Structure formats: C-alpha cells, structure tokens
Amino acid sequence: MFSSFMINTWIAGTAIALVAALVGYFVVIRHSAFAAHALPLGAFPGAAAANLLGVNPFVGLLVFVGMGVLLLRQLARIGRRDVGTGLLLVLFLGVGALFLSMTSEYAPEVFSLLFGEMLGVSDADLWPILGICALVSVVMITIFRPLLLDSSFPDLAALQGISAARMDLIFLSLLALVTASALPVVGAFLVFTLLVGPPAAAQSLSVHPLRSLLLAVIFAESCIWSAIALSYWTNWPIGFFVGMLGAGLFTLARSYRHWSQRERPVVQVSGL
Amino acid sequence: MTNQSPILAVADLSVDLGGRSILRDVSFDLYPGQLCALIGENGAGKTTLLRTLLGLITQRAGTVRIGAAPAREHRELVGYVPQKINFDPDLPLRTRDLVRLGLDGQRLGLPFFDGRTRYAVDQALQAVGAEDFADQRVGELSGGQQQRAVIAHALVRKPRLLILDEPLANLDFGSANALVDLLGRLIVQQQMTVLVTAHDMNPLIPVMDRLVYLVDGRAATGTVAEVVQAEVLSKLYGYPVSVLHHGGRILVLPDAPENADVANMNRCAGHGA
Ligand SMILES: Nc1ncnc2c1ncn2[C@@H]1O[C@H](COP(=O)(O)OP(=O)(O)OP(=O)(O)O)[C@@H](O)[C@H]1O
Ligand SMILES: [Mg+2]
C-alpha cells in the first residue's frame, strides 16, 4: 500500500484534502456549493479539447475553469448567480460533448480526469500539484479574516474597506486552483465532496472559526486517507469511497448537531 | 459647537436608484458629540441616505464629507449598524468573533486572540450587555441579540461617528430604553456622534440634539423645536399638517382628518405609537 507508486498518491491526496478543506470552508459559508459543483466540470470540455488538439489535458482544464471563473464573475454582476451557475454547468457539459463527438477514439484521459484514478499521479504531476496546494494554502490563510467578514456580512466588510468583488474573484480563483490540483486523484466530479462535506460537518460541530477550520482539515484528511486505503484493498474506484465518506460524515455531524441542540437548555439572557 | 469643524457634512445630496429619484438636495451638518435622528416613514429614503453616507451607494449629485475628507477615505471613523441583520444560523462565528472582526477584520492572517484584542472585545460586549451570549453562534441569537452583537462590532474600533438604521424597530420597550440610554452615554462620555434613523421620533426626543425629517426624499433639518412645526412640516409634506404635543409626546397629523384620506394620515411619521 505504501509502495513507491502509491507514495505519490498519498502525498498528493494529503495536499489536496488540505486545500479542499481550506477553500471548502468558505464554499460552505458563502453558500457557493453550486459554483463548487459547476466549476470543476470545466475539466470535461477542457480535457476533451486537449484530447482533440493533442495537448496536456491539464492545460485544457485550466483554460476552461479559468473562463468559468470569469463568466461566474460577470454573471454575479447581472444578478441571479444560481441561475447563471446552472447555465454555466450545462454549457460546460454541452461543449465537452461537442468536442468528444469530434473524435472517434476512446479517450481514457477524459474519463480519469472526471472520475479520478488511484495511480494517476506521476512524479511529473506531483510537483505542480504540491506547488498549487502551497500557493492556495498561503493565500487562504493570508486573506482568512477579510474573507470571513465578507462572507458573513458583506456590508460590514465593505465599511472596513474590503471589496466584495475582489473577495469573490480571489475566492473563485482559489476554487479553480483546488479543482485543477485535485483532478488527477479524485477527479472533477468528486472533488466537490471534499469541498463541501468535511467543512460543513466541521462547522456544524464547532462554532469557533479556527477550531472548525482545523476540524474541516482533519475530516478531509481522514476522508481521503480512508478512501485511498479502501480503494487499494478493494480495487473499487477511489471516487466511490470519497463520495460515501463525505456524505456519511456530513449526515453524522448534522444529526449530532440537531440532537445536541434538542438537549441543550435554553440560555437565559438578561436585558441590555 | 459651531467653532468645531463638523464630523459629517452633507451638502445638496441627490441619489437615484433604479432610474428613480430617491433623495433630493439633502443637506445637513453634524458636530462631535451630537445625536441626530433621521425621521421618516417607510420608503422615505432613510436607509438610502445612510448607505450613501457610508459610500455603499454613489450619489448623483452633492458631497458627503466625514471628518473633513471625502466619505470613502474615512471609513474607519464610522461604525454602522444596518437595518436588516440576519446571520446564517450555521455560520461558524461566535458573538465575540464577530465583534473582533470589527476591530481588525480588514487585516490579513488568522484571527487569533491576544490580550489586547480580548480586552477591547470584552469592553465592547460589556457596553451593549452581550456578555451572556458572547460565546454563542451569532446566527442562533434572536434578532435583538444579533443587533446588539452588531452594535458591539461597530463600537469596538471606537468610531467617532456611529450610524444606526432603525435600531429601535425590533426591540421591546425595556430594550429600546436601554439602547437610547446607551446612545446618550456614548455621546456624553466618549464625544461620539450618533446618527440614528427611526419612523417614530418620540423615544429619541430625550437624547436628540438635531433632527433630519425626511419626506419622499426631501429633508428639513434643525433642532426638534425648529423642524417639528406645523409650518415647516406642511411645506415638506405638501399638504397642511398639525403638530400636537401630548404628555411629552409629539404627534404629527394631517389637518382636517374628516377630509384627509387614510393614506395621508399614514404618511405622517411620528404619529401615535
Ligand atoms: N436597489 C433599489 N433600486 C430601486 N429602488 C430602490 C432600491 N432600494 C430602495 N429603493 C427605493 O428607494 C426608496 C427609499 O428606500 P429606503 O430603503 O431608503 O427607505 P427607508 O426610509 O429606509 O424605509 P424603511 O423605513 O421601510 O426602512 C423606496 O421607495 C424604495 O422602493
Ligand atoms: Mg430603511
């Protein structure tokens, strides 16, 4: 399980879970789960186009996810972000289907980018992944405070000189980068679970901003490590285990929160 | 007072929203240590005026100066308590974390608490009486409690100008009185300037120095005695109104109620209640 070709998977998985938890923390707070679902799907037309042109699928992916970020920004400006996000998602799938229809050969890279591949991390892949993860972590920790205030109450943030438009652009760019780094291991369809499951579970269990952030990281790491191990033993796809574990974690944490709220006595609050 | 320079100077402010003219030629000055009430009925333009002062809305014409500089450059001097406060119930934020973000939310890095931060936050929590729910999730607090949390968030960086939008609207009688007392203490003890909106002026009369009376985007300003006069307000409303003093309370009513329609009756702010 820790043979040399598996080591890369372990390292990449650990790094990906870390940044997925950090960025996912804000995906949950900002109610951006839909955007976090739609953006990674840029991998589909990206990989299909790269396949068609014979370039690295990673490049195709970055191009399409980057365009997705810009489109989402524009859509946010004209309002109804949810509708815009849904339209973007289908646009991605439609364009991807078009590109795939133009080639008759079977495209395994496309499939592995969408659904992940256990042994998909070569030495050449590993360094870009680690680089992106390091960059995302540093930016995330740096802008944590302004982004937290902006995500909680944009008007109050604006008053402190925090631009909502700039925060949104940074957030979506980080989301795009996490997506790109996660693809070789968990795949475009399944990175979503890592982005929302562990952070939502953590935020249900702890009200402390930093403790819930730490808990989100711990949950995400537990998810990916268990998924890699289970996938190794069973030979089932890693995405299946990530999906199951993420959903299970979320369900358990939410149930616990409901249960504990029922048990907690009402706090008496005196007057002003 | 007039030998000081104003902390807030609003001159000929006009604002359009969605192609409609919302505010027309609003002018008033506020000096340090004053409490100014911005009175008007629903839809008069109170929130629009405040958001323009804060630089959240851009005006069509006119100027806003805070502490002698254009408004946007001096936001750290201003604390703001919005009318609509509705935190997500799942937000991983305690009351004290929210207050802390008022102190240094714009700074970079993770929000660890050091001794100085903790002290400043505790002071602000204490000022509004929010110690009891300091460690609770803000999204799980009641509306009035969330409002207190946001007031503490605004107070923690010791603003010179505190702007509150309809802070009394959701409070019970006792809490409203306590808040009015707090505002009175802030202007006396800390020379803070307070601008507060309300649809009923009466609870604020004991503490207010000045009044901006807004009707359909037009304003009359001055002291209560100067503004709340039948002559001034009739001109503002565009139809004759009377000002009645009853038991220390002020009522503004349209004249000849047997002829006036109900709509006119309701248009007068400060009636009944
Ligand atoms: N974004 C907007 N676009 C167009 N019109 C708007 C917008 N926001 C507010 N208005 C209009 O501006 C007018 C003033 O609204 P505002 O919210 O300032 O009133 P208000 O005095 O604060 O009322 P209330 O007492 O109900 O809070 C209203 O007629 C409203 O319809
Ligand atoms: Mg309002």
Side-chain angles (χ1 to χ4, degrees), chain B residues 160-187:
Chain B
R160 289 184 56 207
L161 174 62
L162 180 64
I163 294 181
L164 304 100
D165 199 354
E166 299 268 4
L168 303 177
N170 292 317
L171 298 185
D172 60 63
F173 186 71
S175 303
N177 276 341
L179 181 57
V180 172
D181 283 350
L182 170 67
L183 298 181
R185 280 203 304 278
L186 290 173
I187 53 175

CSV table of all heavy atoms in Angstrom, one decimal, chain B residues 160-187:
chain,number,residue,atom,x,y,z
B,160,ARG,N,-15.8,57.5,15.6
B,160,ARG,CA,-16.2,58.9,16.1
B,160,ARG,C,-17.6,59.2,15.6
B,160,ARG,O,-18.3,60.0,16.2
B,160,ARG,CB,-15.3,59.9,15.5
B,160,ARG,CG,-13.9,59.8,16.2
B,160,ARG,CD,-13.0,60.9,15.7
B,160,ARG,NE,-13.5,62.2,15.9
B,160,ARG,CZ,-13.2,63.3,15.1
B,160,ARG,NH1,-12.3,63.1,14.1
B,160,ARG,NH2,-13.8,64.4,15.3
B,161,LEU,N,-18.1,58.4,14.6
B,161,LEU,CA,-19.5,58.6,14.1
B,161,LEU,C,-20.1,57.2,14.1
B,161,LEU,O,-19.6,56.3,13.5
B,161,LEU,CB,-19.5,59.2,12.7
B,161,LEU,CG,-20.8,59.3,12.0
B,161,LEU,CD1,-21.8,60.2,12.8
B,161,LEU,CD2,-20.6,59.8,10.6
B,162,LEU,N,-21.2,57.1,14.8
B,162,LEU,CA,-21.9,55.8,14.9
B,162,LEU,C,-23.3,56.0,14.2
B,162,LEU,O,-24.0,56.9,14.5
B,162,LEU,CB,-22.2,55.4,16.3
B,162,LEU,CG,-22.9,54.1,16.5
B,162,LEU,CD1,-22.1,52.9,16.0
B,162,LEU,CD2,-23.2,53.8,18.0
B,163,ILE,N,-23.5,55.1,13.2
B,163,ILE,CA,-24.7,55.2,12.3
B,163,ILE,C,-25.5,54.0,12.6
B,163,ILE,O,-25.1,52.9,12.3
B,163,ILE,CB,-24.3,55.4,10.8
B,163,ILE,CG1,-23.6,56.7,10.6
B,163,ILE,CG2,-25.6,55.3,10.0
B,163,ILE,CD1,-23.2,57.0,9.2
B,164,LEU,N,-26.8,54.2,13.0
B,164,LEU,CA,-27.7,53.0,13.3
B,164,LEU,C,-28.9,53.2,12.5
B,164,LEU,O,-29.6,54.2,12.5
B,164,LEU,CB,-28.0,52.9,14.8
B,164,LEU,CG,-26.9,52.9,15.8
B,164,LEU,CD1,-26.6,54.2,16.4
B,164,LEU,CD2,-27.1,51.8,16.9
B,165,ASP,N,-29.3,52.1,11.8
B,165,ASP,CA,-30.5,52.1,10.9
B,165,ASP,C,-31.6,51.4,11.6
B,165,ASP,O,-31.6,50.2,11.8
B,165,ASP,CB,-30.2,51.5,9.6
B,165,ASP,CG,-31.2,51.9,8.5
B,165,ASP,OD1,-32.2,52.6,8.9
B,165,ASP,OD2,-31.0,51.5,7.3
B,166,GLU,N,-32.7,52.2,12.0
B,166,GLU,CA,-33.8,51.6,12.7
B,166,GLU,C,-33.5,50.7,13.9
B,166,GLU,O,-34.0,49.6,13.9
B,166,GLU,CB,-34.7,50.8,11.7
B,166,GLU,CG,-35.3,51.7,10.6
B,166,GLU,CD,-36.6,52.3,10.9
B,166,GLU,OE1,-37.1,52.1,12.0
B,166,GLU,OE2,-37.1,52.9,10.0
B,167,PRO,N,-32.6,51.1,14.8
B,167,PRO,CA,-32.2,50.2,15.8
B,167,PRO,C,-33.4,49.9,16.8
B,167,PRO,O,-33.3,48.9,17.5
B,167,PRO,CB,-31.1,50.9,16.5
B,167,PRO,CG,-31.4,52.3,16.3
B,167,PRO,CD,-32.0,52.4,14.9
B,168,LEU,N,-34.4,50.7,16.9
B,168,LEU,CA,-35.4,50.5,17.9
B,168,LEU,C,-36.6,49.7,17.3
B,168,LEU,O,-37.4,49.3,18.1
B,168,LEU,CB,-36.0,51.9,18.3
B,168,LEU,CG,-34.9,52.9,18.9
B,168,LEU,CD1,-35.5,54.2,19.3
B,168,LEU,CD2,-34.2,52.2,20.1
B,169,ALA,N,-36.6,49.4,16.0
B,169,ALA,CA,-37.7,48.8,15.4
B,169,ALA,C,-38.1,47.5,16.0
B,169,ALA,O,-39.2,47.1,16.1
B,169,ALA,CB,-37.6,48.8,13.9
B,170,ASN,N,-37.1,46.7,16.3
B,170,ASN,CA,-37.3,45.3,16.7
B,170,ASN,C,-37.2,45.1,18.2
B,170,ASN,O,-37.1,43.9,18.7
B,170,ASN,CB,-36.4,44.3,16.0
B,170,ASN,CG,-36.7,44.3,14.5
B,170,ASN,OD1,-37.8,44.2,14.2
B,170,ASN,ND2,-35.7,44.3,13.7
B,171,LEU,N,-37.1,46.2,19.0
B,171,LEU,CA,-36.8,46.0,20.4
B,171,LEU,C,-38.1,46.2,21.2
B,171,LEU,O,-39.0,47.0,20.9
B,171,LEU,CB,-35.8,47.0,20.8
B,171,LEU,CG,-34.4,46.9,20.2
B,171,LEU,CD1,-33.4,47.9,20.8
B,171,LEU,CD2,-33.9,45.5,20.3
B,172,ASP,N,-38.2,45.4,22.3
B,172,ASP,CA,-39.2,45.6,23.3
B,172,ASP,C,-39.0,46.9,24.0
B,172,ASP,O,-37.9,47.5,23.9
B,172,ASP,CB,-39.3,44.4,24.3
B,172,ASP,CG,-38.1,44.2,25.0
B,172,ASP,OD1,-37.7,45.2,25.8
B,172,ASP,OD2,-37.4,43.2,24.9
B,173,PHE,N,-40.0,47.4,24.8
B,173,PHE,CA,-39.9,48.7,25.4
B,173,PHE,C,-38.6,48.9,26.3
B,173,PHE,O,-37.9,49.8,26.2
B,173,PHE,CB,-41.2,48.9,26.3
B,173,PHE,CG,-41.3,50.3,26.9
B,173,PHE,CD1,-41.6,51.3,26.0
B,173,PHE,CD2,-41.1,50.5,28.2
B,173,PHE,CE1,-41.7,52.6,26.6
B,173,PHE,CE2,-41.2,51.7,28.8
B,173,PHE,CZ,-41.5,52.8,27.9
B,174,GLY,N,-38.4,47.9,27.1
B,174,GLY,CA,-37.2,48.0,28.0
B,174,GLY,C,-35.9,48.0,27.2
B,174,GLY,O,-35.0,48.8,27.5
B,175,SER,N,-35.7,47.2,26.2
B,175,SER,CA,-34.5,47.1,25.5
B,175,SER,C,-34.3,48.4,24.7
B,175,SER,O,-33.2,48.9,24.5
B,175,SER,CB,-34.5,46.0,24.5
B,175,SER,OG,-34.7,44.8,25.2
B,176,ALA,N,-35.5,49.0,24.2
B,176,ALA,CA,-35.4,50.2,23.4
B,176,ALA,C,-34.9,51.4,24.4
B,176,ALA,O,-34.0,52.1,24.0
B,176,ALA,CB,-36.7,50.6,22.9
B,177,ASN,N,-35.4,51.4,25.6
B,177,ASN,CA,-35.0,52.4,26.5
B,177,ASN,C,-33.5,52.3,26.8
B,177,ASN,O,-32.8,53.2,26.9
B,177,ASN,CB,-35.8,52.3,27.8
B,177,ASN,CG,-37.1,53.1,27.7
B,177,ASN,OD1,-37.2,54.0,26.8
B,177,ASN,ND2,-38.0,52.8,28.6
B,178,ALA,N,-33.1,51.0,27.0
B,178,ALA,CA,-31.7,50.7,27.4
B,178,ALA,C,-30.8,51.2,26.2
B,178,ALA,O,-29.7,51.7,26.5
B,178,ALA,CB,-31.5,49.2,27.7
B,179,LEU,N,-31.2,51.0,25.0
B,179,LEU,CA,-30.4,51.4,23.9
B,179,LEU,C,-30.3,52.9,23.8
B,179,LEU,O,-29.2,53.4,23.5
B,179,LEU,CB,-31.0,50.8,22.5
B,179,LEU,CG,-30.2,51.1,21.3
B,179,LEU,CD1,-28.7,50.7,21.4
B,179,LEU,CD2,-30.8,50.5,20.1
B,180,VAL,N,-31.4,53.6,24.0
B,180,VAL,CA,-31.4,55.0,24.0
B,180,VAL,C,-30.5,55.6,25.1
B,180,VAL,O,-29.7,56.5,24.8
B,180,VAL,CB,-32.8,55.6,24.1
B,180,VAL,CG1,-32.8,57.1,24.3
B,180,VAL,CG2,-33.7,55.2,22.9
B,181,ASP,N,-30.5,54.9,26.2
B,181,ASP,CA,-29.6,55.3,27.3
B,181,ASP,C,-28.1,55.1,26.9
B,181,ASP,O,-27.3,56.0,27.1
B,181,ASP,CB,-29.8,54.4,28.6
B,181,ASP,CG,-31.1,54.9,29.3
B,181,ASP,OD1,-31.6,56.0,29.0
B,181,ASP,OD2,-31.5,54.2,30.2
B,182,LEU,N,-27.9,54.0,26.2
B,182,LEU,CA,-26.5,53.7,25.8
B,182,LEU,C,-26.0,54.8,24.8
B,182,LEU,O,-24.9,55.3,24.9
B,182,LEU,CB,-26.5,52.3,25.1
B,182,LEU,CG,-25.2,52.0,24.4
B,182,LEU,CD1,-24.0,51.9,25.4
B,182,LEU,CD2,-25.3,50.7,23.6
B,183,LEU,N,-26.9,55.1,23.8
B,183,LEU,CA,-26.5,56.2,22.9
B,183,LEU,C,-26.3,57.5,23.6
B,183,LEU,O,-25.3,58.2,23.3
B,183,LEU,CB,-27.6,56.3,21.8
B,183,LEU,CG,-27.9,55.1,21.0
B,183,LEU,CD1,-29.0,55.4,20.0
B,183,LEU,CD2,-26.7,54.6,20.3
B,184,GLY,N,-27.1,57.8,24.6
B,184,GLY,CA,-26.9,59.0,25.4
B,184,GLY,C,-25.5,59.0,26.1
B,184,GLY,O,-24.8,60.0,26.1
B,185,ARG,N,-25.2,57.8,26.6
B,185,ARG,CA,-23.9,57.7,27.3
B,185,ARG,C,-22.7,57.9,26.3
B,185,ARG,O,-21.7,58.5,26.6
B,185,ARG,CB,-23.8,56.4,28.0
B,185,ARG,CG,-24.5,56.2,29.3
B,185,ARG,CD,-23.9,55.1,30.2
B,185,ARG,NE,-23.9,53.8,29.5
B,185,ARG,CZ,-25.0,53.0,29.4
B,185,ARG,NH1,-26.1,53.4,30.0
B,185,ARG,NH2,-24.9,51.9,28.8
B,186,LEU,N,-22.9,57.3,25.1
B,186,LEU,CA,-21.8,57.4,24.2
B,186,LEU,C,-21.5,58.8,23.7
B,186,LEU,O,-20.3,59.2,23.6
B,186,LEU,CB,-22.1,56.5,22.9
B,186,LEU,CG,-22.1,55.0,23.1
B,186,LEU,CD1,-22.7,54.4,21.8
B,186,LEU,CD2,-20.8,54.5,23.5
B,187,ILE,N,-22.5,59.6,23.5
B,187,ILE,CA,-22.2,61.0,23.1
B,187,ILE,C,-21.7,61.8,24.2
B,187,ILE,O,-20.8,62.6,24.0
B,187,ILE,CB,-23.5,61.7,22.5
B,187,ILE,CG1,-24.7,61.6,23.4
B,187,ILE,CG2,-23.8,61.1,21.2
B,187,ILE,CD1,-25.9,62.4,22.9
